[in-house]
Amino acid sequence: MVSSISFCDSKGKQLLSRKYRDDIPLTAIDNFATLLMKLEEESSVVPPCLTHNGIHYLFIQHNDLYIVALTTSLSTNASQVFTFLHKLVEVMSEYLKDVEEESIRDNFVIIYELLDEMMDYGIPQITETKMLKQYITQKSFKLVKAAKKKRNAARPPQALTNSVSWRPEGIKYKKNEAFLDIVESINMLMTQQGQVLRSEIIGEVKVRSRLSGMPDLKLGINDKGIFSKYLESTSSNSNSNDDNSNEVNSSKSSTPQPSTGQDEGSSRKTSNVELEDLKFHQCVRLSKFENEKIITFIPPDGNFELMSYRLTTPIKPLIWCDVNIHVHSKSRVEIHCRAKAQIKKKSIANNVEILIPVPDDADTPSFRYSHGSIKWVPEKNAILWKIRSFAGGKEYSMAAQLGLPSIDDNEKPKLKRPVQIKFQIPYFTTSGIQVRYLKVNEPKLQYKSYPWVRYITQSGDDYTIRLNG
């Protein structure tokens, strides 16, 4: 449990604080600036948790702020605390737009209201912005207070007192639809010779809910080894759940195949996928998932992230580039690049961007290319090759020549920056995750729903090729 939450400036001095428990003195946060300064002098890396006189300071940094949680208990769930701090910043961004020192000073009233509602006695309570905005409102940096008369007073929505605090009652739509996006981002580091040094898949299951009433959704996902370490048994449930599956409208023509129903031992032996991280939205019933491999939930209204996962598994490059850079007499540099889409022929990579670094003093570029478009980006000291549509198995090439200052004393220019690649491949997932069914049930209204599923694989923030030299 958390004893207090404090907002501090870039030097660690307190701007605002909310105390939830009486086990720490009011002056405890004053030691944070001293501890921070001492650690910054000793090391360039400051850990996110500091301890002094039996008080633990768990903090995150956002813009010019430190958001600090203080606790005295060794049994405090640190991951829960950090998750709450990030969620607090996310909620405040909806109210203040920019969460920084100046906005904190201008919005004390709103922030205290949020801290009171989002946490009670040091335990997180309400973290859904849509629910908070129903009775905490603000305009022009000032909280819109309700009238003093009781009949006009703003009251918490009834949903906050129910078990489903993230969804209000009485939602109605003319057409009931649920959109499911499975988005996988690939981070990969490769050598110029094509060797993969590091690769990971970061997946997100995003939902856009436009459903009336209080629907109960059941989502079945095939087991390709992704979730096997969380499950005790898969064989009996895989067969029984197939009978309840609903038809899922998908923009991909092929229908996802159900799980083969392997037992736990064989599933672990045949799987080469290792799950590093798995997070669910608070609406998911975790016990149901652990026991039956089924994700059941009552969704919030609108857009939200149902779950996220991270896989560290060897995969081949989806978009590969062979880049060769030659410097001639220190007066010009030639760049040859051959790009290949190493995906199935029926798949297409869209909006491919290949950013190739050039020496800082390069100028007067000229290009030759077989496909797409190329432009020089001097502010990034790079050339950008764009390919709008890149079909699987296709291969394209380009060549560029740029001038360099002709000074004999200069060393040969070295390019320490990597080649960066961006792309997006629809109807495709690298991990093999697929939706077997999505069932929507609203016991009172009994309406027909239209679920849609879309798969997208894209480059992550770090899909790069390291150049030699």
Side-chain angles (χ1 to χ4, degrees), residues 32 60 74 79 91 122 125 136 211 228 277 332 364 410 461:
F32 178 70
I60 62 172
L74 292 173
S79 62
V91 171
Q125 299 294 319
I136 297 180
L211 300 170
S228 59
D277 195 7
R332 62 188 176 92
T364 60
N410 282 359
D461 297 330

Side-chain angles (χ1 to χ4, degrees), residues 84 381 385:
F84 176 80
N381 295 314
W385 185 14

Side-chain angles (χ1 to χ4, degrees), residues 325-334 359 404 412-413:
I325 300 177
H326 303 283
V327 178
H328 299 277
S329 304
K330 303 177 185 177
S331 61
R332 62 188 176 92
V333 57
E334 285 189 4
L404 293 173
K412 248 185 179 181

Side-chain angles (χ1 to χ4, degrees), residues 311-468:
L311 306 172
T312 301
T313 178
I315 55 176
K316 70 175 184 179
L318 303 180
I319 303 295
W320 163 247
C321 292
D322 183 13
V323 181
N324 293 297
I325 300 177
H326 303 283
V327 178
H328 299 277
S329 304
K330 303 177 185 177
S331 61
R332 62 188 176 92
V333 57
E334 285 189 4
I335 300 174
H336 297 271
C337 179
R338 181 168 55 89
K340 185 176 182 180
Q342 301 185 144
I343 53 180
K344 295 180 180 179
K345 291 185 178 181
K346 63 180 180 179
S347 298
I348 297 177
N350 296 327
N351 302 319
V352 178
E353 295 185 2
I354 303 170
L355 190 68
I356 305 172
V358 300
D360 296 349
D361 53 354
D363 56 15
T364 60
S366 60
F367 307 114
R368 301 192 312 273
Y369 50 93
S370 61
H371 199 77
S373 63
I374 297 180
K375 68 175 182 179
W376 182 34
V377 190
E379 63 271 17
K380 293 184 178 180
N381 295 314
I383 55 177
L384 180 61
W385 185 14
K386 290 185 177 182
I387 303 174
R388 186 174 181 181
S389 180
F390 204 161
K394 293 289 185 179
E395 185 175 312
Y396 302 119
S397 61
M398 60 79 66
Q401 180 172 289
L402 298 95
L404 293 173
S406 180
I407 302 176
D408 295 335
D409 294 337
N410 282 359
E411 296 182 358
K412 248 185 179 181
K414 295 183 179 180
L415 298 174
K416 297 182 179 180
R417 292 172 290 135
V419 175
Q420 299 178 355
I421 304 175
K422 294 182 179 180
F423 58 86
Q424 189 177 86
I425 308 173
Y427 321 132
F428 177 78
T429 58
T430 309
S431 67
I433 187 173
Q434 286 186 332
V435 174
R436 293 162 52 205
Y437 59 86
L438 179 60
K439 183 176 181 180
V440 180
N441 178 37
E442 214 297 331
K444 294 182 180 179
L445 302 179
Q446 294 290 335
Y447 51 73
K448 290 185 178 180
S449 60
Y450 302 92
W452 297 83
V453 178
R454 181 173 60 172
Y455 303 90
I456 301 173
T457 292
Q458 62 187 16
S459 57
D461 297 330
D462 187 19
Y463 191 100
T464 54
I465 299 175
R466 181 186 294 173
L467 298 176
N468 294 335

